[in-house]
Amino acid sequence: AKDIKATILVKVEYFNPGNSIKDRIAVQMVEDAEKEGKLRPGGTIIEGTSGNTGMGLALAGIVKGYNCIFTTTDKQSMEKVNLLRALGAEVRICPTNVEPEDPRSYYSVAKRLSEEIPNSYYPNQYDHPGNAKAHELTTGPEIWNQTEGKVTHFVAGMGTGGTVSGTAKYLKSQNPDVKVIGIDSVGSVYTSYFKTREYDKSQVAPYVVEGIGEDILPKNMNFDYVDAVIPCPDKEAFLVTRALARKEGLFVGGSCGAAVWGGLEYARQHKLTERDIMVIILPDSGTRYVSKIYNDEWMRQNGYMDDS
Ligand code: PMP
């Protein structure tokens, strides 16, 4: 991106033990539950997860002695499901394209299991206050300190909203002028909600990028901390993801490509200058997407790449 004058930094989250940013919230939610007496020895953690939160919870469960049952959707990479099973978790795969309220949805199945199974705990990362809090306590201060308070723009994908809202809350408490850019997927309700503050179900459409965009409005998504929202199409997300691997040696997941694409779009649209320092969060590792984004045939079959 030679046309961009600002300094663009990325915060690479695959160095966490579970190789994603979600380790931060997993530990926070488990320790909150222990303190509140909601999780007792030998208990079972039940969560609906696209994979990364499950990885963090599974690791915490092993260390602390809890069983894990995860519900996920049939659009998630098999790598993620197999990783969770490798760590001893039970994984239930639910259909992607059903309403959140449908009893078959991964939200509903997680909730039902938590009601049926004794001594179980359902953190519900969408609404759990520990999610955004983990980022306010760790991600935000790290970015502030690592940039010596010079960060001017913060960019993060919006899934549950915990990363963008919690980190933004801390950064804006240090410097209210820090601009926060949330990256959405095309086919999510967030972009239109940000403009109108109204939930418009007609915006919901299938998309392939994992971890960002929603068909619900989670409590952790606080748009009061967000200054701009940029929706990223799947194709752009995946091509930038592959470019990050080849050009920067950053072997990362698809939401990372979306975040970088969105951050660069913002930098161009707003003509950021040499004085600007943008920090973009890269939530997870490319190892989880080898059969998809890093598979040329899959990219071609889905129309993201042509033969040339
Ligand atoms: N990218 C990936 C790969 C994720 O797993 C998640 C979590 N859903 C996000 C981005 C978005 O983070 P958050 O849930 O904190 O908004």
Side-chain angles (χ1 to χ4, degrees), residues 21-22 50 52-53 80 125 131 135 157-164 210-212 214 255 283-284 289:
I21 193 163
K22 292 295 193 161
S50 64
N52 287 331
T53 302
K80 288 185 185 170
Q125 58 173 329
N131 177 351
H135 295 291
M158 302 182 298
T160 65
T163 305
V164 77
E210 296 174 41
I212 59 170
E214 289 298 342
S255 70
D284 72 353
Y289 309 90

mmCIF file with all atom_site columns, all heavy atoms in Angstrom, residues 21-22 50 52-53 80 125 131 135 157-164 210-212 214 255 283-284 289, ligand 1:
data_model
loop_
_atom_site.group_PDB
_atom_site.id
_atom_site.type_symbol
_atom_site.label_atom_id
_atom_site.label_alt_id
_atom_site.label_comp_id
_atom_site.label_asym_id
_atom_site.label_entity_id
_atom_site.label_seq_id
_atom_site.pdbx_PDB_ins_code
_atom_site.Cartn_x
_atom_site.Cartn_y
_atom_site.Cartn_z
_atom_site.occupancy
_atom_site.B_iso_or_equiv
_atom_site.pdbx_formal_charge
_atom_site.auth_seq_id
_atom_site.auth_comp_id
_atom_site.auth_asym_id
_atom_site.auth_atom_id
_atom_site.pdbx_PDB_model_num
ATOM   1   N N   . ILE A 1 21  ? -7.040  -14.386 19.577 1.00 0.00 ? 21  ILE A N   1
ATOM   2   C CA  . ILE A 1 21  ? -7.362  -13.316 20.535 1.00 0.00 ? 21  ILE A CA  1
ATOM   3   C C   . ILE A 1 21  ? -8.355  -13.783 21.592 1.00 0.00 ? 21  ILE A C   1
ATOM   4   O O   . ILE A 1 21  ? -8.461  -13.195 22.658 1.00 0.00 ? 21  ILE A O   1
ATOM   5   C CB  . ILE A 1 21  ? -7.917  -12.099 19.764 1.00 0.00 ? 21  ILE A CB  1
ATOM   6   C CG1 . ILE A 1 21  ? -7.971  -10.858 20.652 1.00 0.00 ? 21  ILE A CG1 1
ATOM   7   C CG2 . ILE A 1 21  ? -9.295  -12.397 19.163 1.00 0.00 ? 21  ILE A CG2 1
ATOM   8   C CD1 . ILE A 1 21  ? -8.106  -9.554  19.914 1.00 0.00 ? 21  ILE A CD1 1
ATOM   9   N N   . LYS A 1 22  ? -9.086  -14.870 21.294 1.00 0.00 ? 22  LYS A N   1
ATOM   10  C CA  . LYS A 1 22  ? -10.160 -15.297 22.173 1.00 0.00 ? 22  LYS A CA  1
ATOM   11  C C   . LYS A 1 22  ? -9.687  -15.919 23.487 1.00 0.00 ? 22  LYS A C   1
ATOM   12  O O   . LYS A 1 22  ? -10.480 -16.092 24.402 1.00 0.00 ? 22  LYS A O   1
ATOM   13  C CB  . LYS A 1 22  ? -11.080 -16.250 21.428 1.00 0.00 ? 22  LYS A CB  1
ATOM   14  C CG  . LYS A 1 22  ? -11.845 -15.576 20.325 1.00 0.00 ? 22  LYS A CG  1
ATOM   15  C CD  . LYS A 1 22  ? -12.809 -14.550 20.903 1.00 0.00 ? 22  LYS A CD  1
ATOM   16  C CE  . LYS A 1 22  ? -13.797 -14.086 19.874 1.00 0.00 ? 22  LYS A CE  1
ATOM   17  N NZ  . LYS A 1 22  ? -14.973 -13.474 20.484 1.00 0.00 ? 22  LYS A NZ  1
ATOM   18  N N   . SER A 1 50  ? -17.522 -19.992 17.155 1.00 0.00 ? 50  SER A N   1
ATOM   19  C CA  . SER A 1 50  ? -17.045 -20.261 15.802 1.00 0.00 ? 50  SER A CA  1
ATOM   20  C C   . SER A 1 50  ? -15.720 -21.007 15.858 1.00 0.00 ? 50  SER A C   1
ATOM   21  O O   . SER A 1 50  ? -15.157 -21.353 14.840 1.00 0.00 ? 50  SER A O   1
ATOM   22  C CB  . SER A 1 50  ? -16.894 -18.951 15.026 1.00 0.00 ? 50  SER A CB  1
ATOM   23  O OG  . SER A 1 50  ? -15.906 -18.151 15.619 1.00 0.00 ? 50  SER A OG  1
ATOM   24  N N   . ASN A 1 52  ? -12.686 -20.230 17.927 1.00 0.00 ? 52  ASN A N   1
ATOM   25  C CA  . ASN A 1 52  ? -11.575 -19.660 18.680 1.00 0.00 ? 52  ASN A CA  1
ATOM   26  C C   . ASN A 1 52  ? -11.875 -19.516 20.169 1.00 0.00 ? 52  ASN A C   1
ATOM   27  O O   . ASN A 1 52  ? -11.016 -19.813 21.000 1.00 0.00 ? 52  ASN A O   1
ATOM   28  C CB  . ASN A 1 52  ? -11.189 -18.309 18.090 1.00 0.00 ? 52  ASN A CB  1
ATOM   29  C CG  . ASN A 1 52  ? -10.474 -18.473 16.757 1.00 0.00 ? 52  ASN A CG  1
ATOM   30  O OD1 . ASN A 1 52  ? -9.813  -19.484 16.526 1.00 0.00 ? 52  ASN A OD1 1
ATOM   31  N ND2 . ASN A 1 52  ? -10.609 -17.499 15.880 1.00 0.00 ? 52  ASN A ND2 1
ATOM   32  N N   . THR A 1 53  ? -13.076 -19.090 20.513 1.00 0.00 ? 53  THR A N   1
ATOM   33  C CA  . THR A 1 53  ? -13.428 -19.008 21.938 1.00 0.00 ? 53  THR A CA  1
ATOM   34  C C   . THR A 1 53  ? -13.411 -20.403 22.539 1.00 0.00 ? 53  THR A C   1
ATOM   35  O O   . THR A 1 53  ? -12.964 -20.603 23.671 1.00 0.00 ? 53  THR A O   1
ATOM   36  C CB  . THR A 1 53  ? -14.818 -18.366 22.121 1.00 0.00 ? 53  THR A CB  1
ATOM   37  O OG1 . THR A 1 53  ? -14.787 -17.080 21.514 1.00 0.00 ? 53  THR A OG1 1
ATOM   38  C CG2 . THR A 1 53  ? -15.178 -18.214 23.595 1.00 0.00 ? 53  THR A CG2 1
ATOM   39  N N   . LYS A 1 80  ? -10.983 -26.212 12.750 1.00 0.00 ? 80  LYS A N   1
ATOM   40  C CA  . LYS A 1 80  ? -11.354 -25.700 14.080 1.00 0.00 ? 80  LYS A CA  1
ATOM   41  C C   . LYS A 1 80  ? -12.080 -26.774 14.890 1.00 0.00 ? 80  LYS A C   1
ATOM   42  O O   . LYS A 1 80  ? -11.810 -26.954 16.071 1.00 0.00 ? 80  LYS A O   1
ATOM   43  C CB  . LYS A 1 80  ? -12.259 -24.478 13.943 1.00 0.00 ? 80  LYS A CB  1
ATOM   44  C CG  . LYS A 1 80  ? -11.547 -23.234 13.454 1.00 0.00 ? 80  LYS A CG  1
ATOM   45  C CD  . LYS A 1 80  ? -12.515 -22.064 13.471 1.00 0.00 ? 80  LYS A CD  1
ATOM   46  C CE  . LYS A 1 80  ? -11.897 -20.816 12.866 1.00 0.00 ? 80  LYS A CE  1
ATOM   47  N NZ  . LYS A 1 80  ? -12.898 -19.760 12.667 1.00 0.00 ? 80  LYS A NZ  1
ATOM   48  N N   . GLN A 1 125 ? -20.601 -15.644 25.238 1.00 0.00 ? 125 GLN A N   1
ATOM   49  C CA  . GLN A 1 125 ? -19.637 -14.570 24.918 1.00 0.00 ? 125 GLN A CA  1
ATOM   50  C C   . GLN A 1 125 ? -20.302 -13.347 24.280 1.00 0.00 ? 125 GLN A C   1
ATOM   51  O O   . GLN A 1 125 ? -19.746 -12.253 24.318 1.00 0.00 ? 125 GLN A O   1
ATOM   52  C CB  . GLN A 1 125 ? -18.555 -15.113 23.997 1.00 0.00 ? 125 GLN A CB  1
ATOM   53  C CG  . GLN A 1 125 ? -19.094 -15.702 22.693 1.00 0.00 ? 125 GLN A CG  1
ATOM   54  C CD  . GLN A 1 125 ? -18.004 -16.093 21.720 1.00 0.00 ? 125 GLN A CD  1
ATOM   55  O OE1 . GLN A 1 125 ? -16.938 -15.483 21.690 1.00 0.00 ? 125 GLN A OE1 1
ATOM   56  N NE2 . GLN A 1 125 ? -18.239 -17.133 20.932 1.00 0.00 ? 125 GLN A NE2 1
ATOM   57  N N   . ASN A 1 131 ? -16.257 -10.339 28.415 1.00 0.00 ? 131 ASN A N   1
ATOM   58  C CA  . ASN A 1 131 ? -15.693 -10.308 27.068 1.00 0.00 ? 131 ASN A CA  1
ATOM   59  C C   . ASN A 1 131 ? -15.077 -8.927  26.790 1.00 0.00 ? 131 ASN A C   1
ATOM   60  O O   . ASN A 1 131 ? -13.854 -8.794  26.651 1.00 0.00 ? 131 ASN A O   1
ATOM   61  C CB  . ASN A 1 131 ? -16.796 -10.690 26.074 1.00 0.00 ? 131 ASN A CB  1
ATOM   62  C CG  . ASN A 1 131 ? -16.390 -10.629 24.613 1.00 0.00 ? 131 ASN A CG  1
ATOM   63  O OD1 . ASN A 1 131 ? -15.321 -10.143 24.265 1.00 0.00 ? 131 ASN A OD1 1
ATOM   64  N ND2 . ASN A 1 131 ? -17.263 -11.103 23.740 1.00 0.00 ? 131 ASN A ND2 1
ATOM   65  N N   . HIS A 1 135 ? -10.741 -7.084  27.091 1.00 0.00 ? 135 HIS A N   1
ATOM   66  C CA  . HIS A 1 135 ? -10.030 -6.210  26.146 1.00 0.00 ? 135 HIS A CA  1
ATOM   67  C C   . HIS A 1 135 ? -9.741  -4.842  26.748 1.00 0.00 ? 135 HIS A C   1
ATOM   68  O O   . HIS A 1 135 ? -8.714  -4.231  26.448 1.00 0.00 ? 135 HIS A O   1
ATOM   69  C CB  . HIS A 1 135 ? -10.829 -6.088  24.852 1.00 0.00 ? 135 HIS A CB  1
ATOM   70  C CG  . HIS A 1 135 ? -10.932 -7.392  24.127 1.00 0.00 ? 135 HIS A CG  1
ATOM   71  N ND1 . HIS A 1 135 ? -9.831  -7.975  23.525 1.00 0.00 ? 135 HIS A ND1 1
ATOM   72  C CD2 . HIS A 1 135 ? -11.962 -8.250  23.946 1.00 0.00 ? 135 HIS A CD2 1
ATOM   73  C CE1 . HIS A 1 135 ? -10.206 -9.128  22.984 1.00 0.00 ? 135 HIS A CE1 1
ATOM   74  N NE2 . HIS A 1 135 ? -11.486 -9.321  23.242 1.00 0.00 ? 135 HIS A NE2 1
ATOM   75  N N   . GLY A 1 157 ? -12.090 -6.139  13.609 1.00 0.00 ? 157 GLY A N   1
ATOM   76  C CA  . GLY A 1 157 ? -13.290 -6.792  13.108 1.00 0.00 ? 157 GLY A CA  1
ATOM   77  C C   . GLY A 1 157 ? -14.328 -6.851  14.219 1.00 0.00 ? 157 GLY A C   1
ATOM   78  O O   . GLY A 1 157 ? -13.982 -6.894  15.402 1.00 0.00 ? 157 GLY A O   1
ATOM   79  N N   . MET A 1 158 ? -15.610 -6.863  13.828 1.00 0.00 ? 158 MET A N   1
ATOM   80  C CA  . MET A 1 158 ? -16.693 -6.904  14.814 1.00 0.00 ? 158 MET A CA  1
ATOM   81  C C   . MET A 1 158 ? -17.445 -8.228  14.728 1.00 0.00 ? 158 MET A C   1
ATOM   82  O O   . MET A 1 158 ? -18.128 -8.490  13.733 1.00 0.00 ? 158 MET A O   1
ATOM   83  C CB  . MET A 1 158 ? -17.673 -5.760  14.555 1.00 0.00 ? 158 MET A CB  1
ATOM   84  C CG  . MET A 1 158 ? -17.023 -4.395  14.599 1.00 0.00 ? 158 MET A CG  1
ATOM   85  S SD  . MET A 1 158 ? -18.219 -3.065  14.339 1.00 0.00 ? 158 MET A SD  1
ATOM   86  C CE  . MET A 1 158 ? -18.788 -3.429  12.685 1.00 0.00 ? 158 MET A CE  1
ATOM   87  N N   . GLY A 1 159 ? -17.238 -9.077  15.737 1.00 0.00 ? 159 GLY A N   1
ATOM   88  C CA  . GLY A 1 159 ? -18.013 -10.319 15.838 1.00 0.00 ? 159 GLY A CA  1
ATOM   89  C C   . GLY A 1 159 ? -18.953 -10.144 17.015 1.00 0.00 ? 159 GLY A C   1
ATOM   90  O O   . GLY A 1 159 ? -19.994 -9.508  16.905 1.00 0.00 ? 159 GLY A O   1
ATOM   91  N N   . THR A 1 160 ? -18.549 -10.663 18.185 1.00 0.00 ? 160 THR A N   1
ATOM   92  C CA  . THR A 1 160 ? -19.334 -10.365 19.392 1.00 0.00 ? 160 THR A CA  1
ATOM   93  C C   . THR A 1 160 ? -19.267 -8.885  19.735 1.00 0.00 ? 160 THR A C   1
ATOM   94  O O   . THR A 1 160 ? -20.089 -8.389  20.493 1.00 0.00 ? 160 THR A O   1
ATOM   95  C CB  . THR A 1 160 ? -18.787 -11.133 20.608 1.00 0.00 ? 160 THR A CB  1
ATOM   96  O OG1 . THR A 1 160 ? -17.465 -10.645 20.904 1.00 0.00 ? 160 THR A OG1 1
ATOM   97  C CG2 . THR A 1 160 ? -18.740 -12.622 20.346 1.00 0.00 ? 160 THR A CG2 1
ATOM   98  N N   . GLY A 1 161 ? -18.232 -8.196  19.237 1.00 0.00 ? 161 GLY A N   1
ATOM   99  C CA  . GLY A 1 161 ? -18.041 -6.782  19.549 1.00 0.00 ? 161 GLY A CA  1
ATOM   100 C C   . GLY A 1 161 ? -17.120 -6.544  20.737 1.00 0.00 ? 161 GLY A C   1
ATOM   101 O O   . GLY A 1 161 ? -16.742 -5.414  21.019 1.00 0.00 ? 161 GLY A O   1
ATOM   102 N N   . GLY A 1 162 ? -16.750 -7.625  21.426 1.00 0.00 ? 162 GLY A N   1
ATOM   103 C CA  . GLY A 1 162 ? -15.914 -7.480  22.620 1.00 0.00 ? 162 GLY A CA  1
ATOM   104 C C   . GLY A 1 162 ? -14.583 -6.796  22.331 1.00 0.00 ? 162 GLY A C   1
ATOM   105 O O   . GLY A 1 162 ? -14.176 -5.881  23.048 1.00 0.00 ? 162 GLY A O   1
ATOM   106 N N   . THR A 1 163 ? -13.915 -7.204  21.263 1.00 0.00 ? 163 THR A N   1
ATOM   107 C CA  . THR A 1 163 ? -12.594 -6.637  20.960 1.00 0.00 ? 163 THR A CA  1
ATOM   108 C C   . THR A 1 163 ? -12.704 -5.145  20.691 1.00 0.00 ? 163 THR A C   1
ATOM   109 O O   . THR A 1 163 ? -11.996 -4.328  21.296 1.00 0.00 ? 163 THR A O   1
ATOM   110 C CB  . THR A 1 163 ? -11.970 -7.306  19.714 1.00 0.00 ? 163 THR A CB  1
ATOM   111 O OG1 . THR A 1 163 ? -11.939 -8.713  19.905 1.00 0.00 ? 163 THR A OG1 1
ATOM   112 C CG2 . THR A 1 163 ? -10.569 -6.792  19.457 1.00 0.00 ? 163 THR A CG2 1
ATOM   113 N N   . VAL A 1 164 ? -13.597 -4.783  19.762 1.00 0.00 ? 164 VAL A N   1
ATOM   114 C CA  . VAL A 1 164 ? -13.649 -3.378  19.356 1.00 0.00 ? 164 VAL A CA  1
ATOM   115 C C   . VAL A 1 164 ? -14.148 -2.510  20.514 1.00 0.00 ? 164 VAL A C   1
ATOM   116 O O   . VAL A 1 164 ? -13.561 -1.462  20.810 1.00 0.00 ? 164 VAL A O   1
ATOM   117 C CB  . VAL A 1 164 ? -14.479 -3.208  18.054 1.00 0.00 ? 164 VAL A CB  1
ATOM   118 C CG1 . VAL A 1 164 ? -15.972 -3.274  18.297 1.00 0.00 ? 164 VAL A CG1 1
ATOM   119 C CG2 . VAL A 1 164 ? -14.127 -1.925  17.336 1.00 0.00 ? 164 VAL A CG2 1
ATOM   120 N N   . GLU A 1 210 ? -15.090 -15.982 8.438  1.00 0.00 ? 210 GLU A N   1
ATOM   121 C CA  . GLU A 1 210 ? -15.458 -16.499 9.766  1.00 0.00 ? 210 GLU A CA  1
ATOM   122 C C   . GLU A 1 210 ? -15.063 -15.522 10.866 1.00 0.00 ? 210 GLU A C   1
ATOM   123 O O   . GLU A 1 210 ? -13.976 -14.972 10.841 1.00 0.00 ? 210 GLU A O   1
ATOM   124 C CB  . GLU A 1 210 ? -14.758 -17.839 10.003 1.00 0.00 ? 210 GLU A CB  1
ATOM   125 C CG  . GLU A 1 210 ? -15.216 -18.908 9.027  1.00 0.00 ? 210 GLU A CG  1
ATOM   126 C CD  . GLU A 1 210 ? -14.421 -20.211 9.138  1.00 0.00 ? 210 GLU A CD  1
ATOM   127 O OE1 . GLU A 1 210 ? -14.109 -20.639 10.257 1.00 0.00 ? 210 GLU A OE1 1
ATOM   128 O OE2 . GLU A 1 210 ? -14.121 -20.800 8.083  1.00 0.00 ? 210 GLU A OE2 1
ATOM   129 N N   . GLY A 1 211 ? -15.952 -15.338 11.824 1.00 0.00 ? 211 GLY A N   1
ATOM   130 C CA  . GLY A 1 211 ? -15.605 -14.595 13.046 1.00 0.00 ? 211 GLY A CA  1
ATOM   131 C C   . GLY A 1 211 ? -16.115 -13.168 13.087 1.00 0.00 ? 211 GLY A C   1
ATOM   132 O O   . GLY A 1 211 ? -16.166 -12.570 14.155 1.00 0.00 ? 211 GLY A O   1
ATOM   133 N N   . ILE A 1 212 ? -16.470 -12.588 11.943 1.00 0.00 ? 212 ILE A N   1
ATOM   134 C CA  . ILE A 1 212 ? -16.970 -11.201 11.959 1.00 0.00 ? 212 ILE A CA  1
ATOM   135 C C   . ILE A 1 212 ? -18.361 -11.126 11.320 1.00 0.00 ? 212 ILE A C   1
ATOM   136 O O   . ILE A 1 212 ? -18.753 -12.005 10.555 1.00 0.00 ? 212 ILE A O   1
ATOM   137 C CB  . ILE A 1 212 ? -16.012 -10.194 11.285 1.00 0.00 ? 212 ILE A CB  1
ATOM   138 C CG1 . ILE A 1 212 ? -15.744 -10.558 9.822  1.00 0.00 ? 212 ILE A CG1 1
ATOM   139 C CG2 . ILE A 1 212 ? -14.714 -10.101 12.065 1.00 0.00 ? 212 ILE A CG2 1
ATOM   140 C CD1 . ILE A 1 212 ? -14.996 -9.472  9.054  1.00 0.00 ? 212 ILE A CD1 1
ATOM   141 N N   . GLU A 1 214 ? -22.631 -10.195 12.161 1.00 0.00 ? 214 GLU A N   1
ATOM   142 C CA  . GLU A 1 214 ? -23.621 -10.900 12.986 1.00 0.00 ? 214 GLU A CA  1
ATOM   143 C C   . GLU A 1 214 ? -25.004 -10.755 12.382 1.00 0.00 ? 214 GLU A C   1
ATOM   144 O O   . GLU A 1 214 ? -25.268 -9.821  11.618 1.00 0.00 ? 214 GLU A O   1
ATOM   145 C CB  . GLU A 1 214 ? -23.677 -10.315 14.410 1.00 0.00 ? 214 GLU A CB  1
ATOM   146 C CG  . GLU A 1 214 ? -22.484 -10.607 15.297 1.00 0.00 ? 214 GLU A CG  1
ATOM   147 C CD  . GLU A 1 214 ? -22.229 -12.064 15.596 1.00 0.00 ? 214 GLU A CD  1
ATOM   148 O OE1 . GLU A 1 214 ? -23.142 -12.904 15.416 1.00 0.00 ? 214 GLU A OE1 1
ATOM   149 O OE2 . GLU A 1 214 ? -21.101 -12.381 15.990 1.00 0.00 ? 214 GLU A OE2 1
ATOM   150 N N   . SER A 1 255 ? -10.482 -13.160 8.833  1.00 0.00 ? 255 SER A N   1
ATOM   151 C CA  . SER A 1 255 ? -10.950 -11.889 9.390  1.00 0.00 ? 255 SER A CA  1
ATOM   152 C C   . SER A 1 255 ? -9.790  -10.896 9.494  1.00 0.00 ? 255 SER A C   1
ATOM   153 O O   . SER A 1 255 ? -10.008 -9.686  9.582  1.00 0.00 ? 255 SER A O   1
ATOM   154 C CB  . SER A 1 255 ? -11.612 -12.092 10.754 1.00 0.00 ? 255 SER A CB  1
ATOM   155 O OG  . SER A 1 255 ? -10.672 -12.433 11.726 1.00 0.00 ? 255 SER A OG  1
ATOM   156 N N   . PRO A 1 283 ? -6.798  -11.263 14.504 1.00 0.00 ? 283 PRO A N   1
ATOM   157 C CA  . PRO A 1 283 ? -7.269  -12.135 15.596 1.00 0.00 ? 283 PRO A CA  1
ATOM   158 C C   . PRO A 1 283 ? -6.732  -13.562 15.634 1.00 0.00 ? 283 PRO A C   1
ATOM   159 O O   . PRO A 1 283 ? -6.621  -14.127 16.704 1.00 0.00 ? 283 PRO A O   1
ATOM   160 C CB  . PRO A 1 283 ? -8.794  -12.165 15.409 1.00 0.00 ? 283 PRO A CB  1
ATOM   161 C CG  . PRO A 1 283 ? -9.107  -10.991 14.555 1.00 0.00 ? 283 PRO A CG  1
ATOM   162 C CD  . PRO A 1 283 ? -7.917  -10.804 13.673 1.00 0.00 ? 283 PRO A CD  1
ATOM   163 N N   . ASP A 1 284 ? -6.426  -14.184 14.483 1.00 0.00 ? 284 ASP A N   1
ATOM   164 C CA  . ASP A 1 284 ? -6.044  -15.598 14.613 1.00 0.00 ? 284 ASP A CA  1
ATOM   165 C C   . ASP A 1 284 ? -5.074  -16.047 13.523 1.00 0.00 ? 284 ASP A C   1
ATOM   166 O O   . ASP A 1 284 ? -4.562  -15.224 12.748 1.00 0.00 ? 284 ASP A O   1
ATOM   167 C CB  . ASP A 1 284 ? -7.269  -16.519 14.745 1.00 0.00 ? 284 ASP A CB  1
ATOM   168 C CG  . ASP A 1 284 ? -8.060  -16.677 13.444 1.00 0.00 ? 284 ASP A CG  1
ATOM   169 O OD1 . ASP A 1 284 ? -7.749  -15.982 12.462 1.00 0.00 ? 284 ASP A OD1 1
ATOM   170 O OD2 . ASP A 1 284 ? -9.001  -17.508 13.431 1.00 0.00 ? 284 ASP A OD2 1
ATOM   171 N N   . TYR A 1 289 ? -7.239  -22.298 8.441  1.00 0.00 ? 289 TYR A N   1
ATOM   172 C CA  . TYR A 1 289 ? -7.925  -22.088 7.156  1.00 0.00 ? 289 TYR A CA  1
ATOM   173 C C   . TYR A 1 289 ? -7.159  -22.688 5.975  1.00 0.00 ? 289 TYR A C   1
ATOM   174 O O   . TYR A 1 289 ? -7.364  -22.292 4.838  1.00 0.00 ? 289 TYR A O   1
ATOM   175 C CB  . TYR A 1 289 ? -8.138  -20.576 6.931  1.00 0.00 ? 289 TYR A CB  1
ATOM   176 C CG  . TYR A 1 289 ? -8.779  -19.907 8.127  1.00 0.00 ? 289 TYR A CG  1
ATOM   177 C CD1 . TYR A 1 289 ? -7.998  -19.374 9.144  1.00 0.00 ? 289 TYR A CD1 1
ATOM   178 C CD2 . TYR A 1 289 ? -10.162 -19.858 8.261  1.00 0.00 ? 289 TYR A CD2 1
ATOM   179 C CE1 . TYR A 1 289 ? -8.580  -18.786 10.274 1.00 0.00 ? 289 TYR A CE1 1
ATOM   180 C CE2 . TYR A 1 289 ? -10.754 -19.279 9.373  1.00 0.00 ? 289 TYR A CE2 1
ATOM   181 C CZ  . TYR A 1 289 ? -9.961  -18.749 10.373 1.00 0.00 ? 289 TYR A CZ  1
ATOM   182 O OH  . TYR A 1 289 ? -10.542 -18.184 11.484 1.00 0.00 ? 289 TYR A OH  1
HETATM 183 N N1  . PMP B 2 .   ? -11.978 -12.820 13.969 1.00 0.00 ? 1   PMP B N1  1
HETATM 184 C C1  . PMP B 2 .   ? -12.068 -14.091 14.389 1.00 0.00 ? 1   PMP B C1  1
HETATM 185 C C2  . PMP B 2 .   ? -11.343 -15.147 13.637 1.00 0.00 ? 1   PMP B C2  1
HETATM 186 C C3  . PMP B 2 .   ? -12.851 -14.404 15.510 1.00 0.00 ? 1   PMP B C3  1
HETATM 187 O O1  . PMP B 2 .   ? -12.945 -15.683 15.939 1.00 0.00 ? 1   PMP B O1  1
HETATM 188 C C4  . PMP B 2 .   ? -13.553 -13.363 16.162 1.00 0.00 ? 1   PMP B C4  1
HETATM 189 C C5  . PMP B 2 .   ? -14.453 -13.698 17.307 1.00 0.00 ? 1   PMP B C5  1
HETATM 190 N N2  . PMP B 2 .   ? -15.786 -13.980 16.888 1.00 0.00 ? 1   PMP B N2  1
HETATM 191 C C6  . PMP B 2 .   ? -13.437 -12.047 15.682 1.00 0.00 ? 1   PMP B C6  1
HETATM 192 C C7  . PMP B 2 .   ? -12.628 -11.825 14.593 1.00 0.00 ? 1   PMP B C7  1
HETATM 193 C C8  . PMP B 2 .   ? -14.207 -10.886 16.268 1.00 0.00 ? 1   PMP B C8  1
HETATM 194 O O2  . PMP B 2 .   ? -13.888 -10.580 17.613 1.00 0.00 ? 1   PMP B O2  1
HETATM 195 P P1  . PMP B 2 .   ? -15.009 -10.122 18.607 1.00 0.00 ? 1   PMP B P1  1
HETATM 196 O O3  . PMP B 2 .   ? -15.900 -11.299 18.870 1.00 0.00 ? 1   PMP B O3  1
HETATM 197 O O4  . PMP B 2 .   ? -14.280 -9.696  19.836 1.00 0.00 ? 1   PMP B O4  1
HETATM 198 O O5  . PMP B 2 .   ? -15.789 -9.005  17.997 1.00 0.00 ? 1   PMP B O5  1
#
